[in-house]
Amino acid sequence: MLSESVTRAGQLAEHVDVDPDRIALVIRDFPVRINPYYLSLIRQPGDPMWRQAVPDPVELADTAGSADPLCEEARSPVPGLIHRYPDRAVFLVSDRCAMHCRFCMRKRRVGGVSRNDRIAAGIDTIRRTPDIAEVVLSGGDPLMLDDDRLARLLDQIRRINHVRLVRIHSRMPCTLPHRITDNLVHVLKAFQPIYLNTHFNHPGEITERSSAACVRLADAGIPLGCQTVLLKGVNDDPAVMRRLMRGLLAIRVRPYYLHQLDRVRGTGHFHVPVATGLQIMDALRGHLSGMGVPHYMVDLPGGGGKIPLTPNYVVDKHPGRWTIRNFEGRHFNYPV
Ligand SMILES: *Cc1c(COP(=O)(O)O)cnc(C)c1O
Ligand code: SF4
């Protein structure tokens, strides 16, 4: 499936209605990759799946963002290991993905070459850093590694005593669910406890295939979370967001974070104001299962870390009592 991905402008124009010359300019800066499965989810020009996958000339017009707004490179003791929080580190073990999302925060990195010696250096640093109790495998997409490579990597991590948890960040259950094979699940199961956070952005991505992939992982005892990105023209609508969150719960994926998009160059057309994000959060809380309400996270520029933003429910503070509104907007006195 992966080898049949669309990676050139001419190829793309055979499948969707785009001008190959303009696309060729965009993908010089920001490469394209759409695998046949994800391509099959696109229904019409500009729909939510199209927006996530198909290069858009406006990407080149965005000069506001920076290539690395979170200063991740400054937080890396070795290339590919980001240690920003005391007890956990993100380990970038692959530079590739099953699809290149147009809004990707690691746009500068995706599409490049992967380097094996980086992995060895990362393992070494984790081994020498007893504070690291959790390793978050990310990338690119860590499930781009084949099962043998992945098993060897997990084995090396598991042998480090102070690492208690392994978390895998993979969009594969959504973008190429065929990757979630019996053998992969078998490999993962051998290295429990393993948590897997995936990434769905629109209810149209919840298909028979992706549902089966998630259920298969859940059946193996791997808790699944979802890190959705708030994206203009994709899910910046309370009704769409509610459908997505309910759909995820139904396939045994627990919504975890709703990310405010970082200001990465080439992604400005996906930007949703924080005020809109908060309105969407307001439309979730109370209106669907609390298990389906993610935390709305902003990543502070300059490496400050992720912080949750919540709609303001405290309307007024008096001595001894606060006025708090509920999800319907009614006000209540609450003794404090
Ligand atoms: C997001 C992130 C983590 C994981 O954070 P959680 O809030 O535990 O999901 C860890 N390290 C870095 C550098 C991150 O960006
Ligand atoms: S799968 Fe994740 S890392 Fe890969 S391109 Fe999409 S958002 Fe970026």
Side-chain angles (χ1 to χ4, degrees):
M1 263 265 184
L2 263 183
S3 58
E4 296 150 42
S5 295
V6 168
T7 56
R8 287 177 287 110
Q11 255 178 323
L12 183 63
E14 288 168 20
H15 294 280
V16 293
D17 183 17
V18 290
D19 172 356
D21 295 333
R22 296 183 74 200
I23 295 296
L25 285 178
V26 181
I27 68 179
R28 269 202 325 214
D29 283 4
F30 305 120
V32 64
R33 167 177 236 149
I34 315 175
N35 68 64
Y37 167 76
Y38 202 88
L39 198 57
S40 78
L41 303 184
I42 294 173
R43 294 275 166 268
Q44 57 194 29
D47 77 15
M49 274 56 75
W50 169 296
R51 283 180 63 81
Q52 292 184 70
V54 177
D56 187 325
V58 302
E59 292 172 33
L60 295 175
D62 181 16
T63 51
S66 96
D68 179 17
L70 307 179
C71 300
E72 287 189 331
E73 287 176 4
R75 286 288 177 152
S76 305
V78 291
L81 193 74
I82 311 168
H83 190 192
R84 180 202 282 157
Y85 301 106
D87 69 333
R88 54 209 192 278
V90 168
F91 192 8
L92 307 174
V93 295
S94 162
D95 285 335
R96 298 180 308 134
C97 294
M99 158 168 122
H100 294 167
C101 311
R102 304 320 296 173
F103 55 84
C104 181
M105 65 172 282
R106 302 226 168 85
K107 226 167 171 166
R108 71 187 184 282
R109 197 193 310 270
V110 166
V113 283
S114 77
R115 300 203 193 101
N116 296 347
D117 47 339
R118 264 200 191 176
I119 294 192
I123 294 276
D124 196 50
T125 306
I126 296 167
R127 196 179 287 129
R128 287 185 289 100
T129 317
D131 288 348
I132 299 176
E134 177 180 3
V135 174
V136 182
L137 299 182
S138 185
D141 197 311
L143 296 187
M144 287 297 282
L145 301 182
D146 67 33
D147 292 355
D148 290 343
R149 288 287 317 274
L150 197 63
R152 264 182 285 142
L153 176 65
L154 289 170
D155 184 56
Q156 284 177 298
I157 295 172
R158 269 278 160 263
R159 283 169 193 278
I160 305 172
N161 275 333
H162 56 263
V163 177
R164 311 295 294 272
L165 280 186
V166 174
R167 193 195 318 178
I168 296 176
H169 277 182
S170 171
R171 218 189 157 185
M172 213 63 96
C174 169
T175 51
L176 189 57
H178 310 63
R179 175 70 186 93
I180 314 302
T181 58
D182 285 338
N183 193 61
L184 174 71
V185 170
H186 181 76
V187 165
L188 297 180
K189 215 177 157 172
F191 297 98
Q192 296 275 29
I194 291 210
Y195 287 70
L196 193 147
N197 274 1
T198 186
H199 175 175
F200 285 76
N201 293 327
H202 189 271
E205 295 170 337
I206 301 177
T207 64
E208 221 169 283
R209 274 279 182 178
S210 60
S211 306
C214 292
V215 166
R216 186 179 280 187
L217 287 162
D219 278 347
I222 298 165
L224 300 174
C226 183
Q227 301 194 193
T228 297
V229 181
L230 179 59
L231 298 169
K232 187 171 175 182
V234 175
N235 57 21
D236 59 334
D237 173 319
V240 170
M241 202 63 95
R242 279 197 292 255
R243 265 201 293 143
L244 173 62
M245 299 308 162
R246 287 194 185 113
L248 289 169
L249 288 178
I251 61 169
R252 297 164 68 188
V253 176
R254 176 118 193 237
Y256 176 61
Y257 285 166
L258 174 64
H259 289 281
Q260 177 69 9
L261 188 67
D262 300 314
R263 293 298 291 124
V264 174
R265 189 171 301 136
T267 65
H269 58 300
F270 285 111
H271 187 76
V272 178
V274 169
T276 308
L278 285 170
Q279 279 166 6
I280 291 171
M281 288 304 296
D282 215 17
L284 298 185
R285 175 64 63 195
H287 298 272
L288 81 155
S289 166
M291 293 194 299
V293 181
H295 297 287
Y296 178 38
M297 304 302 277
V298 298
D299 219 325
L300 301 174
K306 292 188 196 68
I307 292 298
L309 297 184
T310 42
N312 192 16
Y313 294 103
V314 179
V315 180
D316 215 345
K317 290 180 180 175
H318 314 278
R321 77 181 164 85
W322 287 3
T323 306
I324 301 180
R325 73 175 171 87
N326 77 349
F327 72 104
E328 300 157 309
R330 291 197 293 141
H331 290 192
F332 296 83
N333 285 324
Y334 188 81
V336 289

